[in-house]
Amino acid sequence: MEILAFTGNNFTGNLPLHICHGLPRLQGFLLSKNELGGEIPSNLSECLQLENLSLSLNKFSGSIPGEIGRIRTLQNLYLGSNDLSGAIPLELGNLDNLKLLSMGYNFLNGSIPASIFNISSLQYVEIQECYLSGKLPISIANSSKLTTIFLALNNFNGPIPNFLGNLRFIERLVLSDNNFISESPELSFITSLTKCRHLKLLSISNNPLNGTLPLSIGNLSTSLQYLRGHSCDLRGSIPNRIGNLTSLINLDLFDNDLAESIPASMVNLQKLQGLDLYHNNISGSIPDSFCELQNLYKLALSENQISGAIPGCIGNITTLGYLEIDSNILTSTIPASLWLLKGLLELNLSTNILTGSLPQEIGNLEFAFLIDLSVNRLSGIIPNTIGDLQTLSNLSLTHNALQGSIPESVVISPSPWRNSSISRTWIFLSMI
């Protein structure tokens, strides 16, 4: 037998201690997604021709046997999502044919042994949420074939090293949710990553970086699709050169201290689907050029200092599902084109200085589950077409200057609500 595969069953119990004795030619041992427990037998090292070992998504406990490092033929090692503890064995650095190492979501401790990154064949490393600490070893630059590094949700510290720029084939680099800092007030490691021309995903969120984005951010790979840097204590402004990253699908910089205005160059991000800049100190107006972002699905600019009017062409972004621009200092009326966004799921314009009345066309938002227009200066009556919004579960119009009576269609739920488990979670109305 060369392959033993029982993935995705309900097997329980422990692994037989001498399982390799009767299977000397075993190359694939695949037992992920079961209920197996106990310790991983150290004599798995007797399966000397093993290439693929998958024990992930079980209940294995104890330490990772260092003897696994004797299986020199091993190419793929999956140990993630178990109850394993202790340090990562130094002996794993002897697996000189290893391409993939996945052992995230365990209870490991200590640092990553430098020997692991001396494996020249290594392409994929995933060790997320494992309570690891320490600094990233400089030997990581020796793994020149690495395409993927997932090290999120640990306790790594020290500067994000510039030698990561030596990973010329890296495509996905995830360092979020750690204690990394920046070596300089300007995030110099970003400059080093401009040499990584295959980079598609860069996530540095939830680290106390406390610095500014360098102009070189615009020199990152034109293949970059996801840039995630929220909750990093970022200061300064968003460089105008960010518009060079024309493959961006998601730009996530919320919960920082970024200031100044939104760069006009963002109009170049024609593939952008998500823009999350909320909870910063961004000022200026919403550029009319945003209306040209025809793939935008989420625009989140809440909790900033943005002023001026909502662009009248906002209805041109027919892909919008989430429009969150509350808690700013926006003025003027709500553009008529906004009510044409029939695919809108969430609309939050609260806590601004918007004026004017609500039109009957608000009933066009037939898929919306949240509409919050509270704390503005809206006047006039509440359109009875709001009662036609059968998916609406959250509606707030409080603290405005609305007049007249509350439409019966709003107070008395239509039959789809009465005859199903769907209900309006809350409705807050304020009348004069």
Side-chain angles (χ1 to χ4, degrees), residues 218 239-248 263-269:
N240 193 55
R241 293 184 186 176
I242 204 163
N244 295 346
L245 305 177
T246 53
S247 294
L248 270 185
S265 65
M266 281 196 179
V267 68
N268 298 329
L269 307 181

Side-chain angles (χ1 to χ4, degrees), residues 1 28 83 104 129 187 206 218 223 238 249 318 323 333 426-427:
M1 183 182 293
D83 296 319
E129 197 170 342
L187 306 187
N206 276 314
S223 300
I238 302 172
I249 293 174
T318 56
L323 180 58
T333 59
W426 50 261
I427 300 176

Side-chain angles (χ1 to χ4, degrees), residues 150-378:
F150 288 127
L151 298 178
L153 296 159
N154 282 290
N155 295 308
F156 292 115
N157 54 49
I160 295 181
N162 290 336
F163 55 69
L164 291 175
N166 294 330
L167 303 176
R168 300 300 177 88
F169 296 101
I170 197 73
E171 296 179 7
R172 295 179 292 177
L173 178 59
V174 178
L175 304 175
S176 50
D177 297 276
N178 280 285
N179 294 307
F180 287 118
I181 60 173
S182 174
E183 285 184 318
S184 60
E186 194 175 71
L187 306 187
S188 59
F189 68 88
I190 287 182
T191 302
S192 71
L193 293 175
T194 60
K195 296 182 291 186
C196 305
R197 305 317 299 169
H198 301 277
L199 193 62
K200 295 179 181 179
L201 165 62
L202 174 61
S203 181
I204 54 174
S205 300
N206 276 314
N207 283 290
L209 298 177
N210 190 27
T212 61
L213 296 172
L215 295 178
S216 60
I217 196 170
N219 297 329
L220 289 171
S221 171
T222 54
S223 300
L224 191 65
Q225 297 178 338
Y226 301 93
L227 178 56
R228 297 170 181 160
H230 69 78
S231 308
C232 289
D233 297 323
L234 297 178
R235 297 174 280 106
S237 61
I238 302 172
N240 193 55
R241 293 184 186 176
I242 204 163
N244 295 346
L245 305 177
T246 53
S247 294
L248 270 185
I249 293 174
N250 183 269
L251 177 59
D252 169 2
L253 297 174
F254 68 84
D255 193 24
N256 283 296
D257 197 23
L258 295 168
E260 301 186 27
S261 58
I262 298 170
S265 65
M266 281 196 179
V267 68
N268 298 329
L269 307 181
Q270 290 294 308
K271 296 181 181 179
L272 199 65
Q273 296 178 19
L275 179 60
D276 290 305
L277 300 179
Y278 66 85
H279 197 196
N280 279 285
N281 285 305
I282 296 170
S283 57
S285 60
I286 301 174
D288 286 349
S289 57
F290 269 23
C291 299
E292 299 177 34
L293 300 176
Q294 292 297 298
N295 290 295
L296 198 60
Y297 181 68
K298 181 180 182 181
L299 178 59
L301 304 176
S302 307
E303 298 180 56
N304 280 287
Q305 301 296 319
I306 299 171
S307 58
I310 300 172
C313 55
I314 193 77
N316 293 348
I317 315 176
T318 56
T319 53
L320 265 183
Y322 293 82
L323 180 58
E324 303 166 3
I325 48 179
D326 56 283
S327 305
N328 283 285
I329 44 179
L330 294 166
T331 55
S332 78
T333 59
I334 301 174
S337 68
L338 188 148
W339 311 117
L340 302 177
L341 296 172
K342 295 186 177 182
L344 206 60
L345 301 176
E346 182 174 318
L347 173 64
N348 194 340
L349 307 180
S350 66
T351 319
N352 281 289
I353 316 174
L354 300 172
T355 58
S357 60
L358 296 177
Q360 294 289 329
E361 286 77 12
I362 194 172
N364 290 335
L365 307 183
E366 56 184 307
F367 298 109
F369 62 82
L370 182 147
I371 297 177
D372 190 348
L373 306 177
S374 62
V375 195
N376 278 289
R377 297 179 183 177
L378 301 174

